[in-house]
Amino acid sequence: MLTANFLRGRRRRQLTEEEKRALEDAVARVERYPARQTTYRRGELIRQSTLIVSGTMCRYMDDREGHRQLVAYHVAGDFIDLHGFPLQRLDHDIATISEAEVALVPHERLTAITERFPHLARMLWFSTLLDAAMHREWIFRLGRLDAAGRIAHFLSETHARLGAVGMVDGGWFDFPLTQQDVGEACGLTSVHVNRVFRRLREAGLIASANRRIGLPDPPALAAIGEFSPDYLYLGDELRTP
Amino acid sequence: MLTANFLRGRRRRQLTEEEKRALEDAVARVERYPARQTTYRRGELIRQSTLIVSGTMCRYMDDREGHRQLVAYHVAGDFIDLHGFPLQRLDHDIATISEAEVALVPHERLTAITERFPHLARMLWFSTLLDAAMHREWIFRLGRLDAAGRIAHFLSETHARLGAVGMVDGGWFDFPLTQQDVGEACGLTSVHVNRVFRRLREAGLIASANRRIGLPDPPALAAIGEFSPDYLYLGDELRTP
DNA sequence: CGCGATATTGATATAGATCAACTAATGTGG
DNA sequence: CCACATTAGTTGATCTATATCAATATCGCG
């Protein structure tokens, strides 16, 4: 099932079999994007939305000098540009981080869903509001936390979200972001990210190898990042850092 | 009309008379909140949503030490906690800034709207995604701009949004936020906000009197804040800084 | 195996925080 | 409507987290 990870691990995911089938049937085709490619540019008209089947993508905005600010990081099960359905155009760019397989859903089929399946429509709405909740958390992170806190928060969030879709194994998960990318998500330079990573590593709070990250002590990291996963609306079994 | 300012001044606000009436009829009652009062605390169950008729409110999150980070500022016409309709609980607190008059819409009536008026439902969805777009812009502001840029961006945004609901007069608009509040929105201390305000005032870019702010040269201020109003999805007549 | 991307480390600079008065508004009770 | 209290705004001196600049080391890939 292409859409099996959609809202997986979230509370209130009461989709009926009929709704699941309607969503799966709404997929028009599947594509594969190479790593590090911008797939959508701000302002383009959107006629379909993109559900990540596997791989990772991000949404970002460039400042005047071309420095990138990530505004969201997306993993399997995320409907990355569903915002484009009501908005028609987006205010930011979208790119892959790692290679990604995506399912494309034409907007006319989403319109049909909102007419025929009001509850499923509210679940789609819900999923865009999860993004908004993450945005708020990112605002908090940038506005109130220092460098170590921001990075700890970002890693804790990624850990929790990947956990929800079964992609954490023994505290380890894929992490295809460079230190430069992490800096662009956290409003820091890659140099400073490197120094903070070292401190966290020396404190036994993170480990890394082969583009994967391990969190030996998630609660301690969550404490540094003032992270609490409420805003991810996870199912009961997933609600500890 | 209590709901007259809802989506006012936005592109794609094609509500039929019937839809407008349905929304107006969904209002169960009107309340008045005093200034500087927290009206909703994170995690409470929400059974109704709040549309601001007049006055200003904000959404915020506290850090461990109780320092506040604003994540949104809301004015007349904003459906401040419509996110709570699909989410059921919110991840942040809500408070008034100035005294506010609000219209309350029970969630069961919103559910009825999504079943009977799919297009109006998409417009409600659209309005929550405007919030998400503003959130993204706040992330950009905090992650990539310096103090002057952040403040310039925030003032430019407020100017544009109040313009959309007809609340800007000769470049002047109500601004009930203290410098402390601006700091909490922009990730700065009130002391530093004060110094930046002085510089902007001396440069002839802002003026203030009686809790109002005037922007003598909006394009120049927008340039400093790298502000472009695309993300507000304003009508054609309102799309210059 | 070698090259470009990424990570690492050190030295120095700076924007903004912090601490500490002081002043100007705004409000409040007698 | 005045006297006082409280809140908001202003300014200066100093400190610090993070940026910047620069060099080297290591990794992953063709």
Side-chain angles (χ1 to χ4, degrees):
Chain A
M1 280 267 286
L2 296 167
T3 59
N5 280 326
F6 177 65
L7 291 183
R8 180 170 164 203
R10 311 292 177 152
R11 236 179 305 174
R12 308 190 42 243
R13 195 223 174 168
Q14 321 99 330
L15 293 191
T16 65
E17 286 307 313
E18 195 192 9
E19 288 172 339
K20 285 181 195 171
R21 206 168 336 108
L23 184 61
E24 186 77 15
D25 290 346
V27 175
R29 65 181 205 283
V30 174
E31 279 201 18
R32 186 169 283 278
Y33 299 138
R36 303 284 161 182
Q37 186 174 76
T38 295
T39 60
Y40 172 85
R41 291 197 184 278
R42 68 186 303 168
E44 285 173 19
L45 204 60
I46 304 194
R47 304 190 175 288
Q48 59 191 7
S49 284
T50 310
L51 175 66
I52 302 182
V53 178
S54 67
T56 56
M57 302 180 72
C58 69
R59 306 200 254 164
Y60 68 93
M61 306 167 70
D62 284 326
D63 73 7
R64 190 153 33 208
E65 276 114 48
H67 297 296
R68 204 163 72 147
Q69 174 66 45
L70 296 207
V71 297
Y73 176 56
H74 286 288
V75 302
D78 289 350
F79 226 135
I80 182 162
D81 59 357
L82 189 53
H83 291 236
F85 171 51
L87 291 176
Q88 296 188 351
R89 297 169 194 276
L90 293 179
D91 43 85
H92 54 269
D93 298 339
I94 294 180
T96 53
I97 298 281
S98 54
E99 188 191 26
E101 186 185 19
V102 301
L104 299 172
V105 181
H107 282 180
E108 63 269 20
R109 298 196 190 175
L110 290 175
T111 304
I113 282 176
T114 67
E115 327 244 296
R116 295 195 36 226
F117 301 97
H119 175 262
L120 176 54
R122 290 198 298 276
M123 289 299 100
L124 292 171
W125 185 355
F126 173 79
S127 88
T128 60
L129 297 190
L130 285 180
D131 288 334
M134 285 191 273
H135 289 339
R136 286 190 286 276
E137 205 70 19
W138 285 43
I139 293 171
F140 171 77
R141 176 197 293 162
L142 290 168
R144 281 290 163 259
L145 300 182
D146 65 10
R150 292 182 203 174
I151 290 173
H153 188 287
F154 180 60
L155 294 177
S156 296
E157 177 181 284
T158 303
H159 177 249
R161 290 170 64 198
L162 288 173
V165 289
M167 294 180 68
V168 175
D169 184 12
W172 285 80
F173 52 90
D174 285 347
F175 194 78
L177 297 161
T178 64
Q179 293 182 357
Q180 176 73 30
D181 295 328
V182 175
E184 288 169 356
C186 296
L188 300 167
T189 60
S190 62
V191 171
H192 202 62
V193 170
N194 184 278
R195 295 192 225 270
V196 172
F197 267 30
R198 173 159 58 132
R199 271 195 287 133
L200 293 174
R201 205 185 311 121
E202 285 168 359
L205 293 170
I206 65 172
S208 64
N210 304 322
R211 307 260 122 202
R212 283 172 71 79
I213 277 195
L215 305 187
D217 187 353
L221 195 69
I224 289 177
E226 302 197 21
F227 172 78
S228 150
D230 313 3
Y231 69 98
L232 297 173
Y233 296 79
L234 300 175
D236 292 326
E237 67 288 5
L238 296 160
R239 285 157 74 187
T240 44
Chain B
M1 279 270 283
L2 295 167
T3 59
N5 280 327
F6 177 65
L7 291 183
R8 181 171 164 203
R10 311 291 177 156
R11 234 179 307 174
R12 307 188 44 242
R13 194 224 177 168
Q14 321 99 327
L15 294 191
T16 65
E17 286 307 313
E18 193 191 11
E19 288 171 339
K20 285 181 193 168
R21 206 166 337 107
L23 184 61
E24 186 77 13
D25 290 346
V27 175
R29 66 179 204 284
V30 174
E31 280 200 19
R32 188 168 280 279
Y33 298 139
R36 302 283 161 184
Q37 185 173 77
T38 296
T39 60
Y40 172 84
R41 290 195 186 279
R42 67 188 301 168
E44 284 174 18
L45 205 60
I46 305 195
R47 303 192 175 287
Q48 59 192 7
S49 284
T50 310
L51 175 67
I52 303 182
V53 178
S54 67
T56 56
M57 302 181 72
C58 68
R59 308 200 252 164
Y60 68 94
M61 306 167 71
D62 285 326
D63 73 6
R64 190 153 34 210
E65 277 113 47
H67 297 296
R68 203 163 73 145
Q69 173 67 45
L70 296 207
V71 297
Y73 176 56
H74 286 288
V75 302
D78 288 351
F79 226 135
I80 182 164
D81 59 357
L82 189 54
H83 291 238
F85 170 51
L87 292 176
Q88 295 187 353
R89 298 168 193 276
L90 293 178
D91 43 85
H92 55 269
D93 298 337
I94 295 180
T96 52
I97 299 282
S98 54
E99 189 191 26
E101 186 184 20
V102 301
L104 298 171
V105 182
H107 282 181
E108 62 270 21
R109 298 195 191 174
L110 290 175
T111 304
I113 281 176
T114 67
E115 326 244 295
R116 294 196 34 226
F117 301 98
H119 174 262
L120 176 54
R122 289 199 297 277
M123 288 299 100
L124 291 171
W125 185 357
F126 173 78
S127 87
T128 62
L129 297 189
L130 286 180
D131 288 333
M134 285 191 273
H135 289 339
R136 286 190 287 276
E137 205 71 18
W138 286 43
I139 293 171
F140 172 77
R141 177 197 292 164
L142 289 168
R144 281 290 162 260
L145 301 182
D146 66 10
R150 291 183 204 174
I151 290 173
H153 188 287
F154 180 59
L155 294 177
S156 297
E157 178 182 283
T158 303
H159 176 250
R161 290 170 64 200
L162 288 173
V165 289
M167 294 180 70
V168 175
D169 183 13
W172 286 81
F173 53 90
D174 285 348
F175 194 77
L177 297 161
T178 64
Q179 293 181 358
Q180 175 73 31
D181 295 326
V182 174
E184 288 168 355
C186 295
L188 301 167
T189 59
S190 62
V191 171
H192 202 61
V193 170
N194 184 278
R195 295 192 225 268
V196 172
F197 268 31
R198 173 159 58 133
R199 270 196 285 132
L200 293 175
R201 204 183 314 122
E202 286 169 358
L205 293 169
I206 64 171
S208 63
N210 306 321
R211 308 259 121 204
R212 284 171 70 80
I213 277 196
L215 305 188
D217 187 354
L221 194 69
I224 289 176
E226 303 196 19
F227 173 78
S228 151
D230 313 1
Y231 69 98
L232 297 173
Y233 296 80
L234 299 174
D236 293 327
E237 65 288 4
L238 295 160
R239 286 156 77 183
T240 43

